[in-house]
Amino acid sequence: MVHNDENRNGQYSVPVYEGLSRERVADLLQRISKLRVGVIGDGCLDMYLHADMTLSELSRETPHFNLPVVRERFSPGAAGNVAVNLKALGCSEVLFCSVIGRDWRGQLLTGSLQSNGIDTSLVWEERSWTTPAYCKTIRHGLQNSQQEDPRIDYTNYAPLGDIAVERLLENLDRMAARIDVIGVTDQLRFGVIGPMIRARLQYWAKQGKLVVADSRDHIGLYDGILVKPNEVEALQWHSRSREERVPERLRHQRSVGNKAEYVIDSDVLEAGKALAQSIQAPCCLTMGEQGALWLDTGSCMYVPTEKVPPPIDFVGAGDCFSASLMSALGAGAIGPEAAAFAHLGAAVAVSKIGETGSASPEEIKDRYDRKRV
């Protein structure tokens, strides 16, 4: 249960999850290998264009130097990256359900998903839709120097049309009939997850299907569905404002008798408790390198993160955590167990520099073993 002993600094202490055993990690990975998972949400294309500025020339037509692209890389982002991470974890089947545009980005996105072993038969192609993409140009100079230009975004500025929503609903139902777990990535202001899709997801959750939702701006709209917000998203929802409220880093772990407790800012804890109560479902509230809180009706537990020495790269860590969390839950883990397993996956991902990290079963077991040496 949540401890109510608030101290004078506006903080609470909550019990600490003691951690997974090596045998339990191996057991979960074995169960995950038989898991069928479906992902619905905003599939994006991540693009990286590397320009060697030592080869740049002054244009004859304009007073500008060109950007000589010598290397390019494309990979699925957002919901697409969650799907890739699920496959990397060893799930037996991963289905992807979304909407793309009839454009080159959509073709690159589906092609990249397919090359990772993901079923894209439930992706609807809509002529009026723009396949979202994030394009990053990285300039390389002398002495291995590099600098990233402002990102170029392809996105939508109007809601998904009615016909596309109907097709998406039909494909969601087809997917739900085939899989064990539904993962939801609700990331974009004008994305594929709208009120009708959320209502259908709630229907499947009531039918006993495990549904796990990750939403940037709509986390409080997933009644009866397990949610995974980060602390900023939870605080924004709780305060009902668009202003980011990042709490002070006053958290620390302490021992009380033979039991460990974690001291946490009251605003973060209250936001998580209120969210879980509002949606009447569990909430896994992540706090970056500080760990995570698992909150259910009337209870809370702190799950420590996995410490990773620098250098680290946070790109894709949240997607890896989401995939690891939902796969562990689908494999039968209880909440704090699943969060601890997700920390292992994220620790593998952040240790991969210069790439959108994922975690394989062998990498997770190796990470577990190395942290205990």
Side-chain angles (χ1 to χ4, degrees), residues 43-49 72-82 84-85 105 108-113 115-116 118 131-136 315-316 319 354-357:
C44 301
L45 181 70
D46 287 340
M47 305 172 55
Y48 299 86
L49 307 177
E72 59 184 356
R73 179 166 60 89
F74 308 95
S75 62
N81 191 38
V82 174
V84 169
N85 273 273
R105 297 174 303 283
L108 281 172
L109 176 59
T110 55
S112 183
L113 288 168
S115 68
N116 281 278
I118 295 161
T131 304
Y134 301 128
C135 309
K136 301 178 181 180
V315 175
D319 293 335
E355 61 180 289
T356 305

PDB file of all heavy atoms in Angstrom, residues 43-49 72-82 84-85 105 108-113 115-116 118 131-136 315-316 319 354-357:
ATOM      1  N   GLY A  43       2.596   5.271 -36.876  1.00  0.00           N
ATOM      2  CA  GLY A  43       3.849   4.798 -37.435  1.00  0.00           C
ATOM      3  C   GLY A  43       4.566   5.940 -38.133  1.00  0.00           C
ATOM      4  O   GLY A  43       3.981   6.649 -38.955  1.00  0.00           O
ATOM      5  N   CYS A  44       5.810   6.147 -37.779  1.00  0.00           N
ATOM      6  CA  CYS A  44       6.597   7.237 -38.376  1.00  0.00           C
ATOM      7  C   CYS A  44       7.860   6.656 -39.018  1.00  0.00           C
ATOM      8  O   CYS A  44       8.330   5.579 -38.655  1.00  0.00           O
ATOM      9  CB  CYS A  44       7.004   8.255 -37.313  1.00  0.00           C
ATOM     10  SG  CYS A  44       5.619   9.021 -36.453  1.00  0.00           S
ATOM     11  N   LEU A  45       8.389   7.391 -39.962  1.00  0.00           N
ATOM     12  CA  LEU A  45       9.662   7.026 -40.576  1.00  0.00           C
ATOM     13  C   LEU A  45      10.746   7.945 -40.031  1.00  0.00           C
ATOM     14  O   LEU A  45      10.628   9.179 -40.124  1.00  0.00           O
ATOM     15  CB  LEU A  45       9.586   7.155 -42.096  1.00  0.00           C
ATOM     16  CG  LEU A  45      10.858   6.769 -42.849  1.00  0.00           C
ATOM     17  CD1 LEU A  45      11.095   5.264 -42.787  1.00  0.00           C
ATOM     18  CD2 LEU A  45      10.785   7.230 -44.310  1.00  0.00           C
ATOM     19  N   ASP A  46      11.769   7.376 -39.437  1.00  0.00           N
ATOM     20  CA  ASP A  46      12.926   8.148 -38.989  1.00  0.00           C
ATOM     21  C   ASP A  46      13.980   8.130 -40.092  1.00  0.00           C
ATOM     22  O   ASP A  46      14.366   7.055 -40.579  1.00  0.00           O
ATOM     23  CB  ASP A  46      13.513   7.558 -37.708  1.00  0.00           C
ATOM     24  CG  ASP A  46      12.635   7.824 -36.503  1.00  0.00           C
ATOM     25  OD1 ASP A  46      11.811   8.747 -36.557  1.00  0.00           O
ATOM     26  OD2 ASP A  46      12.767   7.092 -35.501  1.00  0.00           O
ATOM     27  N   MET A  47      14.438   9.315 -40.492  1.00  0.00           N
ATOM     28  CA  MET A  47      15.404   9.438 -41.579  1.00  0.00           C
ATOM     29  C   MET A  47      16.649  10.171 -41.074  1.00  0.00           C
ATOM     30  O   MET A  47      16.540  11.218 -40.424  1.00  0.00           O
ATOM     31  CB  MET A  47      14.800  10.217 -42.759  1.00  0.00           C
ATOM     32  CG  MET A  47      13.500   9.658 -43.275  1.00  0.00           C
ATOM     33  SD  MET A  47      12.726  10.751 -44.512  1.00  0.00           S
ATOM     34  CE  MET A  47      14.058  10.925 -45.696  1.00  0.00           C
ATOM     35  N   TYR A  48      17.818   9.629 -41.391  1.00  0.00           N
ATOM     36  CA  TYR A  48      19.088  10.251 -41.023  1.00  0.00           C
ATOM     37  C   TYR A  48      19.920  10.443 -42.285  1.00  0.00           C
ATOM     38  O   TYR A  48      20.263   9.474 -42.968  1.00  0.00           O
ATOM     39  CB  TYR A  48      19.841   9.387 -40.014  1.00  0.00           C
ATOM     40  CG  TYR A  48      19.097   9.186 -38.712  1.00  0.00           C
ATOM     41  CD1 TYR A  48      18.172   8.156 -38.576  1.00  0.00           C
ATOM     42  CD2 TYR A  48      19.314  10.033 -37.633  1.00  0.00           C
ATOM     43  CE1 TYR A  48      17.474   7.973 -37.387  1.00  0.00           C
ATOM     44  CE2 TYR A  48      18.634   9.856 -36.435  1.00  0.00           C
ATOM     45  CZ  TYR A  48      17.710   8.831 -36.326  1.00  0.00           C
ATOM     46  OH  TYR A  48      17.029   8.649 -35.146  1.00  0.00           O
ATOM     47  N   LEU A  49      20.216  11.686 -42.600  1.00  0.00           N
ATOM     48  CA  LEU A  49      21.009  12.028 -43.785  1.00  0.00           C
ATOM     49  C   LEU A  49      22.346  12.609 -43.320  1.00  0.00           C
ATOM     50  O   LEU A  49      22.385  13.651 -42.668  1.00  0.00           O
ATOM     51  CB  LEU A  49      20.267  13.044 -44.660  1.00  0.00           C
ATOM     52  CG  LEU A  49      18.838  12.667 -45.065  1.00  0.00           C
ATOM     53  CD1 LEU A  49      18.198  13.803 -45.869  1.00  0.00           C
ATOM     54  CD2 LEU A  49      18.824  11.376 -45.864  1.00  0.00           C
ATOM     55  N   GLU A  72      22.808   7.540 -45.888  1.00  0.00           N
ATOM     56  CA  GLU A  72      21.443   7.747 -45.404  1.00  0.00           C
ATOM     57  C   GLU A  72      20.965   6.491 -44.699  1.00  0.00           C
ATOM     58  O   GLU A  72      21.383   5.375 -45.016  1.00  0.00           O
ATOM     59  CB  GLU A  72      20.498   8.100 -46.555  1.00  0.00           C
ATOM     60  CG  GLU A  72      20.420   7.057 -47.646  1.00  0.00           C
ATOM     61  CD  GLU A  72      19.556   7.500 -48.816  1.00  0.00           C
ATOM     62  OE1 GLU A  72      18.959   8.580 -48.740  1.00  0.00           O
ATOM     63  OE2 GLU A  72      19.482   6.748 -49.797  1.00  0.00           O
ATOM     64  N   ARG A  73      20.092   6.695 -43.731  1.00  0.00           N
ATOM     65  CA  ARG A  73      19.569   5.569 -42.965  1.00  0.00           C
ATOM     66  C   ARG A  73      18.100   5.812 -42.669  1.00  0.00           C
ATOM     67  O   ARG A  73      17.707   6.929 -42.328  1.00  0.00           O
ATOM     68  CB  ARG A  73      20.353   5.397 -41.663  1.00  0.00           C
ATOM     69  CG  ARG A  73      19.878   4.259 -40.790  1.00  0.00           C
ATOM     70  CD  ARG A  73      20.903   3.949 -39.702  1.00  0.00           C
ATOM     71  NE  ARG A  73      21.151   5.088 -38.830  1.00  0.00           N
ATOM     72  CZ  ARG A  73      20.442   5.343 -37.725  1.00  0.00           C
ATOM     73  NH1 ARG A  73      19.427   4.564 -37.389  1.00  0.00           N
ATOM     74  NH2 ARG A  73      20.743   6.372 -36.962  1.00  0.00           N
ATOM     75  N   PHE A  74      17.285   4.784 -42.827  1.00  0.00           N
ATOM     76  CA  PHE A  74      15.854   4.871 -42.558  1.00  0.00           C
ATOM     77  C   PHE A  74      15.475   3.781 -41.569  1.00  0.00           C
ATOM     78  O   PHE A  74      15.962   2.648 -41.665  1.00  0.00           O
ATOM     79  CB  PHE A  74      15.046   4.676 -43.844  1.00  0.00           C
ATOM     80  CG  PHE A  74      15.469   5.575 -44.976  1.00  0.00           C
ATOM     81  CD1 PHE A  74      16.370   5.124 -45.930  1.00  0.00           C
ATOM     82  CD2 PHE A  74      14.980   6.861 -45.077  1.00  0.00           C
ATOM     83  CE1 PHE A  74      16.773   5.938 -46.978  1.00  0.00           C
ATOM     84  CE2 PHE A  74      15.379   7.688 -46.113  1.00  0.00           C
ATOM     85  CZ  PHE A  74      16.270   7.223 -47.068  1.00  0.00           C
ATOM     86  N   SER A  75      14.590   4.106 -40.642  1.00  0.00           N
ATOM     87  CA  SER A  75      14.119   3.095 -39.692  1.00  0.00           C
ATOM     88  C   SER A  75      12.728   3.467 -39.207  1.00  0.00           C
ATOM     89  O   SER A  75      12.359   4.648 -39.214  1.00  0.00           O
ATOM     90  CB  SER A  75      15.085   2.984 -38.504  1.00  0.00           C
ATOM     91  OG  SER A  75      15.155   4.211 -37.800  1.00  0.00           O
ATOM     92  N   PRO A  76      11.926   2.472 -38.797  1.00  0.00           N
ATOM     93  CA  PRO A  76      10.597   2.776 -38.270  1.00  0.00           C
ATOM     94  C   PRO A  76      10.696   3.512 -36.935  1.00  0.00           C
ATOM     95  O   PRO A  76      11.522   3.186 -36.090  1.00  0.00           O
ATOM     96  CB  PRO A  76       9.971   1.389 -38.080  1.00  0.00           C
ATOM     97  CG  PRO A  76      10.790   0.466 -38.924  1.00  0.00           C
ATOM     98  CD  PRO A  76      12.179   1.033 -38.897  1.00  0.00           C
ATOM     99  N   GLY A  77       9.837   4.509 -36.764  1.00  0.00           N
ATOM    100  CA  GLY A  77       9.795   5.253 -35.515  1.00  0.00           C
ATOM    101  C   GLY A  77       8.424   5.172 -34.871  1.00  0.00           C
ATOM    102  O   GLY A  77       7.464   4.674 -35.459  1.00  0.00           O
ATOM    103  N   ALA A  78       8.317   5.671 -33.638  1.00  0.00           N
ATOM    104  CA  ALA A  78       7.071   5.695 -32.866  1.00  0.00           C
ATOM    105  C   ALA A  78       6.490   4.280 -32.774  1.00  0.00           C
ATOM    106  O   ALA A  78       7.181   3.364 -32.341  1.00  0.00           O
ATOM    107  CB  ALA A  78       6.095   6.689 -33.471  1.00  0.00           C
ATOM    108  N   ALA A  79       5.234   4.081 -33.197  1.00  0.00           N
ATOM    109  CA  ALA A  79       4.623   2.749 -33.110  1.00  0.00           C
ATOM    110  C   ALA A  79       5.415   1.723 -33.901  1.00  0.00           C
ATOM    111  O   ALA A  79       5.497   0.545 -33.514  1.00  0.00           O
ATOM    112  CB  ALA A  79       3.178   2.806 -33.607  1.00  0.00           C
ATOM    113  N   GLY A  80       6.012   2.153 -35.014  1.00  0.00           N
ATOM    114  CA  GLY A  80       6.835   1.242 -35.808  1.00  0.00           C
ATOM    115  C   GLY A  80       8.038   0.747 -35.040  1.00  0.00           C
ATOM    116  O   GLY A  80       8.422  -0.432 -35.136  1.00  0.00           O
ATOM    117  N   ASN A  81       8.644   1.616 -34.248  1.00  0.00           N
ATOM    118  CA  ASN A  81       9.805   1.206 -33.464  1.00  0.00           C
ATOM    119  C   ASN A  81       9.402   0.283 -32.318  1.00  0.00           C
ATOM    120  O   ASN A  81      10.157  -0.619 -31.944  1.00  0.00           O
ATOM    121  CB  ASN A  81      10.543   2.436 -32.915  1.00  0.00           C
ATOM    122  CG  ASN A  81      11.893   2.075 -32.319  1.00  0.00           C
ATOM    123  OD1 ASN A  81      12.612   1.227 -32.836  1.00  0.00           O
ATOM    124  ND2 ASN A  81      12.231   2.713 -31.212  1.00  0.00           N
ATOM    125  N   VAL A  82       8.214   0.490 -31.748  1.00  0.00           N
ATOM    126  CA  VAL A  82       7.722  -0.436 -30.727  1.00  0.00           C
ATOM    127  C   VAL A  82       7.575  -1.831 -31.327  1.00  0.00           C
ATOM    128  O   VAL A  82       7.969  -2.833 -30.730  1.00  0.00           O
ATOM    129  CB  VAL A  82       6.378   0.052 -30.146  1.00  0.00           C
ATOM    130  CG1 VAL A  82       5.796  -0.989 -29.200  1.00  0.00           C
ATOM    131  CG2 VAL A  82       6.562   1.375 -29.408  1.00  0.00           C
ATOM    132  N   VAL A  84       9.193  -3.072 -33.917  1.00  0.00           N
ATOM    133  CA  VAL A  84      10.542  -3.605 -34.150  1.00  0.00           C
ATOM    134  C   VAL A  84      11.138  -4.149 -32.855  1.00  0.00           C
ATOM    135  O   VAL A  84      11.767  -5.206 -32.832  1.00  0.00           O
ATOM    136  CB  VAL A  84      11.450  -2.522 -34.765  1.00  0.00           C
ATOM    137  CG1 VAL A  84      12.909  -2.969 -34.770  1.00  0.00           C
ATOM    138  CG2 VAL A  84      10.996  -2.191 -36.181  1.00  0.00           C
ATOM    139  N   ASN A  85      10.937  -3.425 -31.757  1.00  0.00           N
ATOM    140  CA  ASN A  85      11.460  -3.875 -30.465  1.00  0.00           C
ATOM    141  C   ASN A  85      10.791  -5.154 -30.000  1.00  0.00           C
ATOM    142  O   ASN A  85      11.439  -6.028 -29.409  1.00  0.00           O
ATOM    143  CB  ASN A  85      11.283  -2.772 -29.419  1.00  0.00           C
ATOM    144  CG  ASN A  85      12.433  -1.791 -29.390  1.00  0.00           C
ATOM    145  OD1 ASN A  85      13.427  -2.012 -28.702  1.00  0.00           O
ATOM    146  ND2 ASN A  85      12.311  -0.715 -30.151  1.00  0.00           N
ATOM    147  N   ARG A 105       7.441   7.817 -48.357  1.00  0.00           N
ATOM    148  CA  ARG A 105       7.736   7.543 -46.956  1.00  0.00           C
ATOM    149  C   ARG A 105       6.946   6.327 -46.461  1.00  0.00           C
ATOM    150  O   ARG A 105       7.458   5.516 -45.688  1.00  0.00           O
ATOM    151  CB  ARG A 105       7.422   8.783 -46.106  1.00  0.00           C
ATOM    152  CG  ARG A 105       8.297   9.986 -46.478  1.00  0.00           C
ATOM    153  CD  ARG A 105       7.884  11.244 -45.751  1.00  0.00           C
ATOM    154  NE  ARG A 105       6.487  11.596 -45.972  1.00  0.00           N
ATOM    155  CZ  ARG A 105       6.019  12.164 -47.081  1.00  0.00           C
ATOM    156  NH1 ARG A 105       6.855  12.446 -48.072  1.00  0.00           N
ATOM    157  NH2 ARG A 105       4.744  12.463 -47.208  1.00  0.00           N
ATOM    158  N   LEU A 108       8.696   3.242 -47.748  1.00  0.00           N
ATOM    159  CA  LEU A 108       9.908   2.967 -46.987  1.00  0.00           C
ATOM    160  C   LEU A 108       9.571   2.412 -45.598  1.00  0.00           C
ATOM    161  O   LEU A 108      10.239   1.500 -45.099  1.00  0.00           O
ATOM    162  CB  LEU A 108      10.754   4.232 -46.846  1.00  0.00           C
ATOM    163  CG  LEU A 108      11.600   4.640 -48.053  1.00  0.00           C
ATOM    164  CD1 LEU A 108      12.215   6.017 -47.832  1.00  0.00           C
ATOM    165  CD2 LEU A 108      12.696   3.608 -48.310  1.00  0.00           C
ATOM    166  N   LEU A 109       8.525   2.954 -44.971  1.00  0.00           N
ATOM    167  CA  LEU A 109       8.144   2.508 -43.635  1.00  0.00           C
ATOM    168  C   LEU A 109       7.686   1.051 -43.647  1.00  0.00           C
ATOM    169  O   LEU A 109       8.171   0.227 -42.856  1.00  0.00           O
ATOM    170  CB  LEU A 109       7.044   3.407 -43.072  1.00  0.00           C
ATOM    171  CG  LEU A 109       6.475   3.008 -41.705  1.00  0.00           C
ATOM    172  CD1 LEU A 109       7.565   2.970 -40.645  1.00  0.00           C
ATOM    173  CD2 LEU A 109       5.347   3.965 -41.293  1.00  0.00           C
ATOM    174  N   THR A 110       6.758   0.726 -44.545  1.00  0.00           N
ATOM    175  CA  THR A 110       6.269  -0.656 -44.580  1.00  0.00           C
ATOM    176  C   THR A 110       7.364  -1.624 -45.012  1.00  0.00           C
ATOM    177  O   THR A 110       7.460  -2.734 -44.485  1.00  0.00           O
ATOM    178  CB  THR A 110       5.057  -0.780 -45.520  1.00  0.00           C
ATOM    179  OG1 THR A 110       5.407  -0.268 -46.818  1.00  0.00           O
ATOM    180  CG2 THR A 110       3.866  -0.012 -44.969  1.00  0.00           C
ATOM    181  N   GLY A 111       8.203  -1.194 -45.942  1.00  0.00           N
ATOM    182  CA  GLY A 111       9.309  -2.053 -46.360  1.00  0.00           C
ATOM    183  C   GLY A 111      10.269  -2.340 -45.223  1.00  0.00           C
ATOM    184  O   GLY A 111      10.745  -3.474 -45.062  1.00  0.00           O
ATOM    185  N   SER A 112      10.556  -1.313 -44.417  1.00  0.00           N
ATOM    186  CA  SER A 112      11.460  -1.489 -43.286  1.00  0.00           C
ATOM    187  C   SER A 112      10.842  -2.389 -42.217  1.00  0.00           C
ATOM    188  O   SER A 112      11.530  -3.239 -41.632  1.00  0.00           O
ATOM    189  CB  SER A 112      11.810  -0.130 -42.682  1.00  0.00           C
ATOM    190  OG  SER A 112      12.727  -0.257 -41.624  1.00  0.00           O
ATOM    191  N   LEU A 113       9.550  -2.240 -41.975  1.00  0.00           N
ATOM    192  CA  LEU A 113       8.864  -3.108 -41.013  1.00  0.00           C
ATOM    193  C   LEU A 113       8.902  -4.559 -41.487  1.00  0.00           C
ATOM    194  O   LEU A 113       9.187  -5.477 -40.714  1.00  0.00           O
ATOM    195  CB  LEU A 113       7.425  -2.646 -40.820  1.00  0.00           C
ATOM    196  CG  LEU A 113       7.228  -1.343 -40.041  1.00  0.00           C
ATOM    197  CD1 LEU A 113       5.798  -0.841 -40.177  1.00  0.00           C
ATOM    198  CD2 LEU A 113       7.573  -1.540 -38.565  1.00  0.00           C
ATOM    199  N   SER A 115      11.025  -5.964 -43.457  1.00  0.00           N
ATOM    200  CA  SER A 115      12.379  -6.507 -43.390  1.00  0.00           C
ATOM    201  C   SER A 115      12.759  -6.917 -41.974  1.00  0.00           C
ATOM    202  O   SER A 115      13.684  -7.704 -41.769  1.00  0.00           O
ATOM    203  CB  SER A 115      13.396  -5.480 -43.917  1.00  0.00           C
ATOM    204  OG  SER A 115      13.492  -4.370 -43.039  1.00  0.00           O
ATOM    205  N   ASN A 116      12.031  -6.399 -40.983  1.00  0.00           N
ATOM    206  CA  ASN A 116      12.239  -6.781 -39.592  1.00  0.00           C
ATOM    207  C   ASN A 116      11.307  -7.913 -39.156  1.00  0.00           C
ATOM    208  O   ASN A 116      11.218  -8.214 -37.957  1.00  0.00           O
ATOM    209  CB  ASN A 116      12.036  -5.569 -38.678  1.00  0.00           C
ATOM    210  CG  ASN A 116      13.238  -4.646 -38.650  1.00  0.00           C
ATOM    211  OD1 ASN A 116      14.211  -4.890 -37.933  1.00  0.00           O
ATOM    212  ND2 ASN A 116      13.182  -3.577 -39.439  1.00  0.00           N
ATOM    213  N   ILE A 118       7.909  -8.089 -39.506  1.00  0.00           N
ATOM    214  CA  ILE A 118       6.635  -7.626 -38.954  1.00  0.00           C
ATOM    215  C   ILE A 118       5.549  -7.701 -40.015  1.00  0.00           C
ATOM    216  O   ILE A 118       5.757  -7.302 -41.170  1.00  0.00           O
ATOM    217  CB  ILE A 118       6.782  -6.192 -38.411  1.00  0.00           C
ATOM    218  CG1 ILE A 118       7.752  -6.205 -37.225  1.00  0.00           C
ATOM    219  CG2 ILE A 118       5.436  -5.614 -37.995  1.00  0.00           C
ATOM    220  CD1 ILE A 118       8.323  -4.875 -36.883  1.00  0.00           C
ATOM    221  N   THR A 131       2.225  10.205 -44.637  1.00  0.00           N
ATOM    222  CA  THR A 131       2.994   9.323 -43.758  1.00  0.00           C
ATOM    223  C   THR A 131       3.942  10.176 -42.925  1.00  0.00           C
ATOM    224  O   THR A 131       4.812  10.866 -43.469  1.00  0.00           O
ATOM    225  CB  THR A 131       3.810   8.304 -44.571  1.00  0.00           C
ATOM    226  OG1 THR A 131       2.939   7.572 -45.427  1.00  0.00           O
ATOM    227  CG2 THR A 131       4.536   7.344 -43.635  1.00  0.00           C
ATOM    228  N   PRO A 132       3.805  10.175 -41.597  1.00  0.00           N
ATOM    229  CA  PRO A 132       4.676  11.012 -40.766  1.00  0.00           C
ATOM    230  C   PRO A 132       6.139  10.584 -40.890  1.00  0.00           C
ATOM    231  O   PRO A 132       6.454   9.392 -41.007  1.00  0.00           O
ATOM    232  CB  PRO A 132       4.157  10.761 -39.346  1.00  0.00           C
ATOM    233  CG  PRO A 132       2.759  10.252 -39.526  1.00  0.00           C
ATOM    234  CD  PRO A 132       2.793   9.464 -40.801  1.00  0.00           C
ATOM    235  N   ALA A 133       7.021  11.570 -40.876  1.00  0.00           N
ATOM    236  CA  ALA A 133       8.460  11.279 -40.940  1.00  0.00           C
ATOM    237  C   ALA A 133       9.227  12.387 -40.238  1.00  0.00           C
ATOM    238  O   ALA A 133       8.825  13.560 -40.256  1.00  0.00           O
ATOM    239  CB  ALA A 133       8.923  11.157 -42.388  1.00  0.00           C
ATOM    240  N   TYR A 134      10.309  11.991 -39.607  1.00  0.00           N
ATOM    241  CA  TYR A 134      11.235  12.924 -38.968  1.00  0.00           C
ATOM    242  C   TYR A 134      12.578  12.809 -39.679  1.00  0.00           C
ATOM    243  O   TYR A 134      13.227  11.761 -39.619  1.00  0.00           O
ATOM    244  CB  TYR A 134      11.397  12.607 -37.482  1.00  0.00           C
ATOM    245  CG  TYR A 134      10.118  12.667 -36.694  1.00  0.00           C
ATOM    246  CD1 TYR A 134       9.728  11.607 -35.887  1.00  0.00           C
ATOM    247  CD2 TYR A 134       9.291  13.786 -36.754  1.00  0.00           C
ATOM    248  CE1 TYR A 134       8.551  11.658 -35.160  1.00  0.00           C
ATOM    249  CE2 TYR A 134       8.111  13.846 -36.029  1.00  0.00           C
ATOM    250  CZ  TYR A 134       7.746  12.785 -35.239  1.00  0.00           C
ATOM    251  OH  TYR A 134       6.582  12.830 -34.517  1.00  0.00           O
ATOM    252  N   CYS A 135      12.977  13.874 -40.346  1.00  0.00           N
ATOM    253  CA  CYS A 135      14.200  13.857 -41.165  1.00  0.00           C
ATOM    254  C   CYS A 135      15.286  14.685 -40.475  1.00  0.00           C
ATOM    255  O   CYS A 135      15.100  15.886 -40.240  1.00  0.00           O
ATOM    256  CB  CYS A 135      13.928  14.411 -42.559  1.00  0.00           C
ATOM    257  SG  CYS A 135      12.507  13.647 -43.367  1.00  0.00           S
ATOM    258  N   LYS A 136      16.404  14.051 -40.190  1.00  0.00           N
ATOM    259  CA  LYS A 136      17.512  14.713 -39.511  1.00  0.00           C
ATOM    260  C   LYS A 136      18.736  14.730 -40.419  1.00  0.00           C
ATOM    261  O   LYS A 136      19.212  13.678 -40.845  1.00  0.00           O
ATOM    262  CB  LYS A 136      17.836  13.996 -38.203  1.00  0.00           C
ATOM    263  CG  LYS A 136      16.666  13.939 -37.236  1.00  0.00           C
ATOM    264  CD  LYS A 136      17.024  13.177 -35.972  1.00  0.00           C
ATOM    265  CE  LYS A 136      15.834  13.101 -35.032  1.00  0.00           C
ATOM    266  NZ  LYS A 136      16.156  12.365 -33.784  1.00  0.00           N
ATOM    267  N   VAL A 315      17.915   7.667 -27.528  1.00  0.00           N
ATOM    268  CA  VAL A 315      17.004   7.544 -28.672  1.00  0.00           C
ATOM    269  C   VAL A 315      16.390   6.147 -28.699  1.00  0.00           C
ATOM    270  O   VAL A 315      17.095   5.144 -28.754  1.00  0.00           O
ATOM    271  CB  VAL A 315      17.736   7.828 -29.999  1.00  0.00           C
ATOM    272  CG1 VAL A 315      16.801   7.581 -31.178  1.00  0.00           C
ATOM    273  CG2 VAL A 315      18.248   9.262 -30.018  1.00  0.00           C
ATOM    274  N   GLY A 316      15.073   6.096 -28.642  1.00  0.00           N
ATOM    275  CA  GLY A 316      14.361   4.826 -28.716  1.00  0.00           C
ATOM    276  C   GLY A 316      14.222   4.094 -27.404  1.00  0.00           C
ATOM    277  O   GLY A 316      13.597   3.020 -27.352  1.00  0.00           O
ATOM    278  N   ASP A 319      10.555   3.516 -26.358  1.00  0.00           N
ATOM    279  CA  ASP A 319       9.888   2.487 -27.160  1.00  0.00           C
ATOM    280  C   ASP A 319      10.320   1.090 -26.719  1.00  0.00           C
ATOM    281  O   ASP A 319       9.511   0.161 -26.672  1.00  0.00           O
ATOM    282  CB  ASP A 319      10.202   2.679 -28.645  1.00  0.00           C
ATOM    283  CG  ASP A 319       9.597   3.956 -29.205  1.00  0.00           C
ATOM    284  OD1 ASP A 319       8.595   4.433 -28.645  1.00  0.00           O
ATOM    285  OD2 ASP A 319      10.136   4.477 -30.198  1.00  0.00           O
ATOM    286  N   GLY A 354      24.393   5.976 -31.250  1.00  0.00           N
ATOM    287  CA  GLY A 354      24.199   6.330 -32.645  1.00  0.00           C
ATOM    288  C   GLY A 354      23.166   5.502 -33.371  1.00  0.00           C
ATOM    289  O   GLY A 354      23.136   5.494 -34.605  1.00  0.00           O
ATOM    290  N   GLU A 355      22.306   4.801 -32.649  1.00  0.00           N
ATOM    291  CA  GLU A 355      21.269   4.018 -33.289  1.00  0.00           C
ATOM    292  C   GLU A 355      20.028   3.980 -32.401  1.00  0.00           C
ATOM    293  O   GLU A 355      20.096   4.254 -31.196  1.00  0.00           O
ATOM    294  CB  GLU A 355      21.745   2.595 -33.568  1.00  0.00           C
ATOM    295  CG  GLU A 355      22.123   1.806 -32.327  1.00  0.00           C
ATOM    296  CD  GLU A 355      22.580   0.394 -32.662  1.00  0.00           C
ATOM    297  OE1 GLU A 355      21.718  -0.411 -33.056  1.00  0.00           O
ATOM    298  OE2 GLU A 355      23.789   0.112 -32.538  1.00  0.00           O
ATOM    299  N   THR A 356      18.892   3.663 -33.008  1.00  0.00           N
ATOM    300  CA  THR A 356      17.663   3.487 -32.250  1.00  0.00           C
ATOM    301  C   THR A 356      17.713   2.102 -31.643  1.00  0.00           C
ATOM    302  O   THR A 356      17.488   1.104 -32.314  1.00  0.00           O
ATOM    303  CB  THR A 356      16.436   3.634 -33.162  1.00  0.00           C
ATOM    304  OG1 THR A 356      16.506   4.902 -33.828  1.00  0.00           O
ATOM    305  CG2 THR A 356      15.153   3.567 -32.361  1.00  0.00           C
ATOM    306  N   GLY A 357      18.027   2.040 -30.362  1.00  0.00           N
ATOM    307  CA  GLY A 357      18.361   0.779 -29.735  1.00  0.00           C
ATOM    308  C   GLY A 357      17.184  -0.150 -29.516  1.00  0.00           C
ATOM    309  O   GLY A 357      16.049   0.274 -29.320  1.00  0.00           O
TER     310      GLY A 357
END
